[in-house]
Amino acid sequence: MKKVKNIAVLTSGGDAPGMNAAIRAVVRTGIYHKLNVFGVMYGYRGMIQDDIVPMDSKSVANIIQRGGTILKTARSKEFFTPEGRKKAYENLKKRGVDGLVVIGGDGSFKGAHVFSQEFGIPCIGLPGTIDKDISGTDFTIGFDTAANTAISAIDKIRDTADAHDRLFIVEVMGRDAGYIALYSGLATGAEHIMVPERPSDIENIVAALQDNERRKKLVNIIVVAEGCPHGSATEMAEVVRREIPSFDTRVCILGHIQRGGSPSCMDRIIASRLGYAAVKALLEGKYQSHMAGVINNEVRYTPFEQAIKTTEQIGEEWFGLYRILAS
Ligand code: ATP
């Protein structure tokens, strides 16, 4: 088995709080094991454009608490092409890079998988996405912070909803995955939660709101994930205004505040554990083309193919739970 000597780390796709903590863990673990560590700027785009810098221990000082990513992130169309990936490979080769750590979402893992197969470079992925839409890990780096940001915003919205007897429809991030909506909705006592994975019966929601009105329960919060097939928060508000004009209905779209900010304790810890685990796997020559994740509080490695193929379904019991607690 060839001993790994030079490794590179990059962040790719959407940014997520905790990416910096993961970069720090990769760099410091690599340096501890006497590896040369390179940082690739702007994800795969920087790999193709040769935007690659050596990293030392100091280069990752004072970043564990910072959101965003010091390596920047980007999406690269060129990396979808064999020619683009060949250029990227040549830039790694000239530095003798023999192991790569990719911090990103499922798209980034698809890229890492094909790259690893084409050029035989061991790639370890770390799940860095606020959406928690990857299998093979209980949590992704950034999800906990994003959910907490949503929670703190919805708590504030509930104060004003309560003061004015209003219905608020709050839209949170999640194009394909509803975990931010589910967790933030459950944790703030939302009356209804709408997620992309599960069709919501709008008629039932309207009927439940009418029932609330009869019971003089005028303060209601509906949390909607942006990717809901039955429409955005604005569209949902139109339905409610039409069906229950007596309700004072407002919409709040939380937007990009959910991506930024200082990572939570949990995200810093997961990122640190997984960054360490990625370098360990490269050193041991194990798990080429795998993602490192945390399952039942233990580090586990899952082949990229599996991590990106299966999307976890939200079990029915989650919905029974919030309905009972919010009734
Ligand atoms: P997020 O979950 O935040 O969207 P992501 O990693 O899924 O993050 P994508 O935009 O899907 O983000 O992918 C990031 C980059 O990975 C793409 O811009 C592209 O360069 C590369 N990539 C994605 N899919 C493939 C693929 N099938 N083949 C090669 N490269 C890919």
Side-chain angles (χ1 to χ4, degrees):
M1 189 178 56
K2 206 169 121 249
K3 183 157 171 8
V4 172
K5 290 198 182 107
N6 306 296
I7 63 168
V9 56
L10 60 85
T11 48
S12 168
D15 66 311
M19 280 182 161
N20 279 327
I23 296 167
R24 171 181 177 269
V26 170
V27 171
R28 295 248 164 112
T29 308
I31 288 169
Y32 176 83
H33 289 286
K34 314 249 178 308
L35 303 179
N36 296 311
V37 185
F38 295 93
V40 182
M41 303 300 295
Y42 296 99
Y44 295 129
R45 190 175 88 196
M47 217 154 98
I48 293 169
Q49 294 176 350
D50 206 15
D51 196 353
I52 301 173
V53 293
M55 307 288 284
D56 60 14
S57 188
K58 218 172 146 196
S59 66
V60 291
N62 200 18
I63 64 166
I64 195 169
Q65 77 282 21
R66 282 168 56 192
T69 157
I70 59 160
L71 294 178
K72 311 278 186 169
T73 185
R75 296 190 158 95
S76 165
K77 282 202 180 120
E78 218 183 334
F79 201 75
F80 281 94
T81 67
E83 299 75 33
R85 294 194 294 272
K86 180 87 179 19
K87 272 194 224 165
Y89 171 67
E90 294 300 335
N91 290 328
L92 293 189
K93 198 171 133 196
K94 71 183 179 200
R95 292 173 177 86
V97 170
D98 40 19
L100 182 65
V101 180
V102 172
I103 307 166
D106 59 340
S108 304
F109 294 168
K110 282 180 199 156
H113 183 53
V114 68
F115 187 72
S116 174
Q117 288 200 317
E118 278 174 345
F119 302 106
I121 291 198
C123 291
I124 303 291
L126 302 186
T129 164
I130 61 168
D131 288 335
K132 203 171 101 61
D133 57 352
I134 290 172
S135 357
T137 190
D138 292 340
F139 289 95
T140 56
I141 298 164
F143 168 74
D144 185 61
T145 308
N148 274 298
T149 301
I151 285 168
S152 112
I154 297 168
D155 283 345
K156 292 182 175 87
I157 289 167
R158 195 179 270 287
D159 285 347
T160 185
D162 188 61
H164 291 273
D165 282 343
R166 277 181 186 154
L167 161 68
F168 265 91
I169 304 178
V170 184
E171 187 172 299
V172 298
M173 279 187 166
R175 273 195 303 269
D176 306 305
Y179 278 101
I180 296 178
L182 182 71
Y183 274 52
S184 64
L186 188 56
T188 55
E191 277 66 26
H192 297 280
I193 300 171
M194 299 166 75
V195 297
E197 292 89 339
R198 191 172 178 280
S200 291
D201 190 336
I202 310 252
E203 279 175 20
N204 275 350
I205 293 178
V206 168
L209 291 171
Q210 283 165 332
D211 188 48
N212 285 353
E213 192 188 27
R214 277 190 289 277
R215 295 192 290 136
K216 302 267 180 280
K217 180 173 164 42
L218 302 175
V219 181
N220 290 277
I221 304 276
I222 303 178
V223 179
V224 185
E226 63 182 334
C228 277
H230 25 261
S232 63
T234 311
E235 285 161 334
M236 182 67 197
E238 278 169 25
V239 175
V240 175
R241 285 191 188 114
R242 194 176 58 233
E243 300 295 327
I244 325 175
S246 53
F247 261 156
D248 188 1
T249 303
R250 303 295 166 106
V251 172
C252 184
I253 297 168
L254 296 190
H256 279 83
I257 60 158
Q258 293 161 92
R259 277 200 185 280
S262 183
S264 66
C265 172
M266 181 155 153
D267 279 333
R268 296 183 200 194
I269 299 298
I270 291 177
S272 301
R273 289 176 76 187
L274 294 183
Y276 169 85
V279 177
K280 199 165 148 256
L282 291 174
L283 282 167
E284 291 171 0
K286 283 185 185 165
Y287 307 115
Q288 173 155 352
S289 211
H290 276 61
M291 180 197 79
V294 173
I295 299 175
N296 292 335
N297 208 20
E298 284 184 19
V299 173
R300 292 268 183 271
Y301 299 89
T302 304
F304 278 141
E305 285 159 303
Q306 208 176 309
I308 55 196
K309 258 193 197 140
T310 29
T311 32
E312 275 174 38
Q313 289 305 309
I314 300 176
E316 190 53 37
E317 70 279 7
W318 283 96
F319 296 93
L321 168 66
Y322 91 74
R323 270 194 223 104
I324 290 169
L325 301 188
S327 59

